[in-house]
Amino acid sequence: MAHLLGIDASTQSVSALVIDTDGGAIEREASVNFGKRLPQYGAPSGFVAGARPGEVFADPMMWVEALEQLLEELQAAGALKNIAAVCGAAQQHGSVYLNEKWPCALAAIREGRAENLRARLLPCLARARSPIWMDTSTAEECREIAEALGGREKVCALSGSVPVERFTGPQIRRFWKRSPEAYGRTTRIHLVSSFLCSVLCGQDAPIDTGDGAGMNLLNLTTGDWDGALLDAAAPQLREKLPPVVGGGTRAGTLGGYFVKKFGFAPETPVLVFTGDNPSSLVGMGAATPETAVISLGTSDTIFAAMPQGAFDPEGFGHAFGNPLGGQMSLQCFVNGSLAREAVRERIGYDWAAFAQALFRTPAGNDGNRMLPFVRPEISPRIDLNRFVLKGDAEFERWEKPAHAVRACVEGQLLNMKLRSAWMGLRPARIRLTGGAARDDGIAQIVADIFQTKVERLPSGGSVALGATLRAAHHCLGVPLADLESKFCRPAPGSTRTPAVPPGTYDVPLRAFETWIAQYR
Ligand code: XUL
């Protein structure tokens, strides 16, 4: 019996899935929410604002402690027996800065000498907190990198994205400029994904091309670090980064600490981790461009496998490595679930009433619209920190709560449709994942605005599922098609087809584009 463990280190929690490939079943799901389980970190949603505008951080020790609690929970449930391979994925772009103590701490984990993970790893941090993907503080560094390379387009042609504020290269540059001594003490810089993978293996793990492409440091054509991009970011950067590898590469085997404490088999293979979005692409069975994915989580994203060489002329979209080979397109929106949550709180609804509201309001929302950005948005780049409403007087005074709900969801999806036009998607289906995907009203609006059939899979955990499928495929040799047929079939009754005629949203789309242009 082959069981696979997949880990998803996301913004608000660390979650896991255990699957049984023979039986085609999800054996166990578990999750540790940072705010609820680790309140001592003072990060109810998994992050804290920094002192300067746009800065957003998280504590890497919070991720490590949550990972350990998650494994404890799985062990207590008897779910860690028979684990044949492990893989994982993490929120993208965030970076962890480690000092010269890091190799010794890893060796202690590897050899099973470490007593307490936190005590071992805390002294290894060259920077106490990690900047994460919500950070928008590096506009100046993005300009400098563009200038060094001869323009934003040059950076995009090399790395798949123009210099982007949350991407790791500009973040590293800011750290070097502001704290040159701490940068000097840094001997290794990891992504969240490669950091956690290293901890599990007790040895420095590589970065995969999927997550590596979110750094503005990787040459997307060669699949390796790019000398010019590294030089433009910070000095001596190459020696501080781990190697880059394809998504099918083993990072190592589980460290002795984990074997001893959790009863894993010695030498359990660990496949290189990737970013949450690339992992979700695999978990959603979206290996070809016929299936596009919309993920409605802390961030909302739309992504799909794509042929090489497409770029967003506006500069907000990205080309990442596809863990299955080739590339994937991605567009990310900061104002995902936190914006939906803010609307829900403002009107005093619970989630059931929020979901119901979408069935009590018509497509187009009687002309009532919202710019649904409670924090600075990245697609497109807009520095709003409040909702803007436009419609009838009652609506604008927040006295039509059901319309406020639809205006938020329609605003988010109209913006997504407009911003993702560069991808040239003509998918046969859109697969919806993330917390809000369960909501039938939201699924219907996706089908209506994109005029495409919408499907949902039985498990909400597509990131962790993708990790288990990659582990099964690359470590155990199970064909991907077999895995997809067992684990990536839409849940019965979950499909939604367009309920309004094509063209229904043409006017709202045009109106939204004109309106949003005033704020850019
Ligand atoms: C993608 C992005 C987010 C994070 C967090 O570019 O910034 O989707 O990966 O989920």
Side-chain angles (χ1 to χ4, degrees), residues 11 91-93 133 166 276-277 299 301 320 330 332:
T11 313
Q91 53 170 307
Q92 300 197 247
H93 317 297
W133 65 275
R166 70 188 190 285
D276 53 1
N277 295 292
S299 64
T301 51
F320 288 162
L330 178 128
C332 175

Side-chain angles (χ1 to χ4, degrees), residues 304-512:
M306 73 165 182
Q308 216 144 317
F311 296 111
D312 176 11
E314 286 200 305
F316 307 119
H318 316 295
F320 288 162
N322 177 343
L324 299 173
Q327 295 182 3
M328 63 181 280
S329 54
L330 178 128
Q331 193 83 37
C332 175
F333 304 83
V334 169
N335 285 278
S337 62
L338 296 176
R340 288 184 286 275
E341 175 84 32
V343 167
R344 185 188 69 76
E345 272 175 9
R346 172 134 195 187
I347 57 177
Y349 274 17
D350 59 15
W351 282 118
F354 186 96
Q356 264 308 311
L358 298 172
F359 292 101
R360 291 193 282 120
T361 44
N365 208 25
D366 301 318
N368 294 300
R369 307 209 169 100
M370 182 187 292
L371 291 184
F373 309 133
V374 269
R375 49 186 314 131
E377 181 50 60
I378 52 178
S379 294
R381 190 70 188 84
I382 289 183
D383 270 326
L384 267 180
N385 54 8
R386 68 193 158 84
F387 295 120
V388 186
L389 273 58
K390 197 171 175 174
D392 58 53
E394 227 182 315
F395 170 75
E396 289 187 5
R397 289 196 304 268
W398 289 87
E399 286 167 9
K400 284 183 154 180
H403 283 80
V405 170
R406 181 174 274 272
C408 173
V409 175
E410 284 192 345
Q412 291 180 319
L413 292 167
L414 289 171
N415 188 39
M416 185 180 278
K417 168 114 173 143
L418 290 161
R419 301 284 81 77
S420 59
W422 68 274
M423 296 179 186
L425 298 175
R426 298 277 172 276
R429 67 191 71 79
I430 291 175
R431 287 192 167 165
L432 208 56
T433 182
R438 283 188 293 271
D439 190 322
D440 283 339
I442 293 183
Q444 187 61 54
I445 298 178
V446 174
D448 291 345
I449 290 184
F450 284 84
Q451 285 292 305
T452 306
K453 174 171 75 173
V454 169
E455 297 175 347
R456 287 163 287 172
L457 306 191
S459 161
S462 58
V463 176
L465 180 61
T468 60
L469 301 189
R470 290 177 56 228
H473 180 53
H474 292 293
C475 298
L476 307 187
V478 185
L480 194 68
D482 287 5
L483 293 166
E484 284 184 347
S485 73
K486 284 181 179 156
F487 293 99
C488 309
R489 271 211 302 265
S494 75
T495 300
R496 290 286 170 279
T497 50
V500 296
T504 303
Y505 277 99
D506 285 359
V507 170
L509 277 165
R510 275 197 298 275
F512 193 88

